[in-house]
């Protein structure tokens, strides 16, 4: 069905998970050309054009992004170059060679003040440079008009890469007590769940299905709830194997407010995304966030 797939950002969380998932699937294993930043720098638009023209893919998957949310406030030009200009060029080049495009976006395109879960048609109103640059990338792809899927995901973590899970495990090993924000809500989403869902979608993607989809693990929690679950489940696995527990216990994770933990970039208070459209159009349903967390922790332990 696919002849050649160009995958960017393979050293990132989602890029790495996709690469691993493709390697396990014999149908895809030989079709994927994976490029990291040293092989394809997305700030170099000529390099993007050359890569697409040389590889001649029929599908481009672009998980590469500028993801340093706070740093983006002081580096808007770089954030826009990678998150908005590069996806536009990828989309234009994809259209020229007749390829489809899968791209990733974020819960940070929303203001987070809705009462209830966001659906794809809700008004976007990013609070940060990062969110604005990602929204600009979405709009650029839509303006090109090629068959595409944009997956808005949230709170990505996993056994591989830098993320909240790794930070909590490190801090809980070092300290007796942690203070974690309890008034921002969303769905922690494992990179493995994202990769598995994308492969399922790819298997039954008809060209007429094009547009923007929420793609997150089911259920919701706060960052505090996520941190408590990480420590509890990690300790449970350690105990089962007779291995040492973390220094901080779940009871010693204090709930604080966003105001108590000021950051350069504002975050949405409500990042909860409804995935009904993904289920309806592709029959793809991601596992519950807590179950996905246990799977990811088992890969770490
Ligand atoms: N992380 C989250 O919590 C989160 C939440 C919602 C949505 N998303 C979206 O999900 C997608 C995947 O995110 P992720 O968590 O996998 O991000 P990530 O782990 O930060 O990986 C991003 C990748 O992009 C690469 N990259 C950065 N600048 C580049 C450039 N100029 N040229 C080529 N590659 C470049 C990085 O390369 P290096 O490895 O060389 O640095 C890295 O491999 C992104 O679209 C992101 O916006 C992420």
């Amino acid at each position: 069905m696919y002849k050649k797939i160009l995958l960017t950002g393979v050293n990132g969380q989602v890029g790495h998970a996709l690469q691993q998932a493709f390697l396990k699937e014999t149908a895809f294993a030989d079709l994927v050309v994976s490029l990291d930043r040293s092989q394809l720098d997305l700030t170099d638009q000529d390099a993007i054009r050359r890569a697409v023209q040389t590889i001649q893919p029929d599908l481009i998957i672009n998980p590469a992004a500028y993801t340093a949310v706070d740093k983006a406030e002081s580096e808007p030009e770089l954030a826009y170059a990678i998150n908005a200009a590069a996806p536009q060029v990828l989309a234009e080049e994809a259209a020229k060679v007749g390829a489809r495009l899968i791209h990733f976006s974020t819960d940070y395109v929303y203001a987070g003040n809705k009462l209830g879960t966001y659906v794809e048609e809700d008004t976007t109103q990013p609070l940060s440079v990062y969110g604005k640059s990602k929204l600009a990338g979405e709009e650029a792809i839509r303006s090109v008009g090629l068959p595409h899927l944009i997956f808005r995901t949230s709170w990505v973590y996993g056994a591989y890469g830098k993320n909240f899970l790794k930070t909590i495990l490190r801090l809980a090993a070092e300290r007796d007590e942690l203070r974690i924000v309890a008034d921002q809500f969303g769905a922690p989403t494992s990179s493995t769940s994202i990769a598995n869902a994308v492969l399922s979608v790819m298997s039954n993607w008809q060209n007429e299905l094009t547009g923007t989809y929420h793609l997150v693990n089911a259920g919701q929690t706060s960052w505090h709830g996520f941190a408590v679950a990480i420590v509890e489940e990690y300790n449970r696995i350690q105990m089962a194997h007779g291995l040492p527990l973390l220094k901080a216990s779940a009871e010693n994770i204090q709930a604080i407010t966003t105001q108590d933990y000021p950051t350069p970039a504002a975050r949405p208070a409500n990042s909860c995304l409804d995935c009904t459209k993904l289920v309806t159009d592709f029959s793809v349903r991601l596992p519950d966030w807590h179950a996905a967390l246990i799977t990811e922790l088992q890969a770490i332990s």
Side-chain angles (χ1 to χ4, degrees):
M1 176 183 174
Y2 296 98
K3 293 192 184 75
K4 202 170 263 186
I5 299 167
L6 169 55
L7 175 64
T8 69
V10 286
N11 290 333
Q13 299 187 77
V14 173
H16 178 81
L18 280 165
Q19 192 181 31
Q20 295 304 307
F22 283 133
L23 286 173
K24 282 190 203 143
E25 284 285 333
T26 40
F28 290 122
D30 298 329
L31 313 181
V32 183
V33 180
S34 303
L35 300 179
D36 65 17
R37 189 203 295 246
S38 70
Q39 295 158 313
L40 178 59
D41 182 346
L42 292 181
T43 60
D44 183 344
Q45 299 190 359
D46 287 338
I48 299 175
R49 292 191 184 95
R50 274 196 309 276
V52 177
Q53 289 301 328
T54 307
I55 296 165
Q56 295 277 317
D58 52 357
L59 173 64
I60 298 175
I61 308 180
N62 181 41
Y66 181 107
T67 55
V69 175
D70 288 318
K71 213 169 161 200
E73 296 297 310
S74 53
E75 287 187 340
E77 284 176 14
L78 187 56
Y80 271 83
I82 298 167
N83 291 346
Q88 164 134 21
V89 177
L90 275 173
E92 287 168 356
E93 294 307 306
K96 281 184 201 161
V97 300
R100 299 190 269 179
L101 176 64
I102 292 179
H103 179 73
F104 295 88
S105 189
T106 169
D107 51 318
Y108 285 17
V109 298
Y110 298 115
N113 54 3
K114 183 180 175 181
L115 294 175
T117 309
Y118 278 93
V119 293
E120 289 82 349
E121 294 73 28
D122 277 327
T123 306
T124 50
Q125 196 189 337
L127 305 176
S128 61
V129 167
Y130 168 73
K132 287 175 189 161
S133 70
K134 293 296 294 182
L135 181 59
E138 289 189 9
E139 286 164 350
I141 291 168
R142 286 192 275 271
S143 73
V144 173
L146 81 169
H148 69 270
L149 298 173
I150 296 170
F151 293 125
R152 287 184 187 146
T153 189
S154 69
W155 298 19
V156 179
Y157 73 95
Y160 176 88
K162 286 187 207 143
N163 53 61
F164 185 82
L165 166 71
K166 298 289 207 53
T167 304
I168 292 298
L169 289 179
R170 178 174 51 78
L171 293 178
E174 291 167 5
R175 302 181 189 173
D176 296 319
E177 196 177 291
L178 307 184
R179 289 158 46 84
I180 306 292
V181 170
D183 58 358
Q184 291 171 26
F185 297 91
T189 301
S190 79
S191 48
T192 313
S193 299
I194 295 174
N196 291 340
V198 169
L199 262 69
S200 299
V201 164
M202 281 172 57
S203 303
N204 58 349
W205 180 13
Q206 311 296 326
N207 263 358
E208 62 270 19
L209 286 174
T210 184
T212 303
Y213 289 82
H214 292 164
L215 190 150
V216 296
N217 276 129
Q220 49 192 253
T221 186
S222 66
W223 289 111
H224 176 264
F226 187 28
V228 167
I230 290 168
V231 169
E232 279 178 348
E233 296 301 346
Y234 184 84
N235 277 342
R236 212 189 302 275
I237 294 169
Q238 292 290 99
M239 214 176 316
H241 293 94
L243 294 167
L245 304 187
L246 296 164
K247 200 167 176 189
S249 66
E251 296 74 46
N252 290 341
I253 303 178
Q254 306 298 327
I256 61 167
T257 66
T258 301
Q259 272 188 330
D260 295 329
Y261 188 75
T263 52
R267 268 90 170 151
N270 174 12
S271 276
C272 300
L273 309 184
D274 182 306
C275 292
T276 304
K277 191 178 166 193
L278 186 75
V279 177
T280 306
D281 285 358
F282 292 102
S283 306
V284 170
R285 196 185 294 271
L286 277 71
D288 179 78
W289 71 265
H290 203 125
L293 169 63
I294 294 170
T295 305
E296 219 62 29
L297 283 172
Q298 282 164 344
I300 287 181
S301 305

